[in-house]
Amino acid sequence: AQAVADALQPVSETLNLAPDIEVQVQRMDEATALRALCSGAPVTAWVNAFTYVAAARTCGAEPLLVLLRENEGEVKIGIAYDVIVSAGIRSAGDLAGERYCRVEGQLEDWAFAALMLAAEGFDPLAQMSPLPVYSSETAALRALLDGECAALALAAGTLEDRLDELAAEGNTGPEDREDVRVLIAGGDVLLASENAGDPPVLPRYVVPYGVWVAAPDSALPAGDDRPLRQELAAAVRAYFEENPSILNRWFGMSQVIAVDQTSLAALRAWLDGAAWDMAHAP
């Protein structure tokens, strides 16, 4: 934490603030960061998307930046999954009493899919039964095709790729492609080129990689020229643009982009619709 504070200290010198302002950095878990954001202190915190939503609900915390990941020329803003079902399932309610497949070591995919189903008015945790986990996504997809389960979560847009892999292994035929479908599609995680410099609007069912969040106005009031949070966001964004290796070392990401409440409105609406609540509250 001290090394981070030392690296960020030059950022404070670029801010339009009193000269005695000092940047301090502390390592916190998500629950501690949530309490700090809503404590009334002038705090900002890098948190996951769910902690951001909890802070926004609790005290009106404001998002400043989100992390971006670049790979092979594509810039992604977050994670999204598709809910894959057998062809006979026409709505979320049809999954009542059915079983779901899960891949070993992959809890996130089904957790996100469960929240997507909950936002559609169906509670899979209460109304579905899990099966033993499978060793790979293709094995789980084969189980779905064999009728061992009725639902599976896959990274958005990858169903055809998994079917191609099964076909290459000789484990599926052309007729099998008619036996599965996407019930609920995840949002597009690619950052549109026209949004490269402007606050993007994340689609429904996309979870950003990470969010830099600021305490509400009562803790970070407006300055003479513009709100302090805007000064902070501009300075930190410029710092990371000049030092991309540090951004990669700290977060494993390649870029950041400024966001506002509108950018993440769909995320909040999704989790509100799913009746999601964070276990740890301030």
Side-chain angles (χ1 to χ4, degrees):
Q2 186 57 49
V4 175
D6 292 344
L8 281 181
Q9 191 56 45
V11 174
S12 68
E13 298 171 4
T14 72
L15 301 179
N16 200 10
L17 304 172
D20 59 345
I21 292 293
E22 179 183 0
V23 173
Q24 296 182 341
V25 178
Q26 292 180 303
R27 181 174 295 177
M28 298 179 177
D29 60 22
E30 296 288 331
T32 305
L34 174 56
R35 289 192 293 269
L37 285 167
C38 293
S39 68
V43 171
T44 66
W46 281 102
V47 297
N48 67 39
F50 299 94
T51 300
Y52 155 67
V53 171
R57 286 177 181 169
T58 302
C59 63
E62 297 268 356
L64 300 177
L65 302 172
V66 294
L67 297 168
L68 303 176
R69 177 178 291 162
E70 185 173 358
N71 184 34
E72 297 181 351
E74 293 183 335
V75 180
K76 296 183 178 180
I77 201 165
I79 303 166
Y81 291 94
D82 292 336
V83 179
I84 311 299
V85 297
S86 52
I89 302 297
R90 308 310 301 175
S91 68
D94 292 342
L95 291 170
E98 298 287 351
R99 295 173 292 185
Y100 63 83
C101 292
R102 188 168 63 80
V103 180
E104 184 176 6
Q106 297 184 14
L107 291 174
E108 176 187 88
D109 50 3
W110 183 251
F112 288 7
L115 288 170
M116 294 165 69
L117 288 165
E120 301 290 329
F122 177 77
D123 185 353
L125 301 182
Q127 297 177 268
M128 296 186 72
S129 300
L131 279 181
V133 296
Y134 293 86
S135 60
S136 66
E137 290 182 346
T138 52
L141 180 56
R142 183 67 260 176
L144 189 148
L145 289 166
D146 291 340
E148 295 179 19
C149 59
L152 170 68
L154 293 177
T158 63
L159 174 59
E160 290 300 319
D161 293 337
R162 301 294 82 78
L163 287 168
D164 289 343
E165 290 171 3
L166 282 174
E169 297 168 359
N171 290 324
T172 186
E175 69 281 358
D176 286 322
R177 294 179 183 268
E178 304 300 320
D179 293 336
V180 292
R181 57 186 293 266
V182 176
L183 178 66
I184 308 174
D188 185 358
V189 299
L190 295 180
L191 180 70
S193 58
E194 61 267 21
N195 286 335
D198 299 318
V201 176
L202 273 69
R204 186 173 176 85
Y205 300 143
V206 170
V207 178
Y209 292 120
V211 189
W212 193 38
V213 182
D217 282 340
S218 56
L220 289 169
D224 294 336
D225 298 323
R226 57 180 178 173
L228 174 57
R229 65 172 54 86
Q230 292 183 24
E231 294 284 351
L232 287 167
V236 172
R237 186 179 181 186
Y239 179 77
F240 282 138
E241 287 175 350
E242 294 173 2
N243 300 276
S245 62
I246 291 179
L247 182 63
N248 180 67
R249 187 165 72 247
W250 290 353
F251 299 110
M253 299 290 166
S254 56
Q255 301 177 45
V256 295
I257 191 170
V259 291
D260 53 25
Q261 289 189 14
T262 301
S263 302
L264 304 181
L267 172 69
R268 293 186 60 183
W270 165 21
L271 296 183
D272 287 345
W276 171 86
D277 195 12
M278 194 162 180
H280 302 284

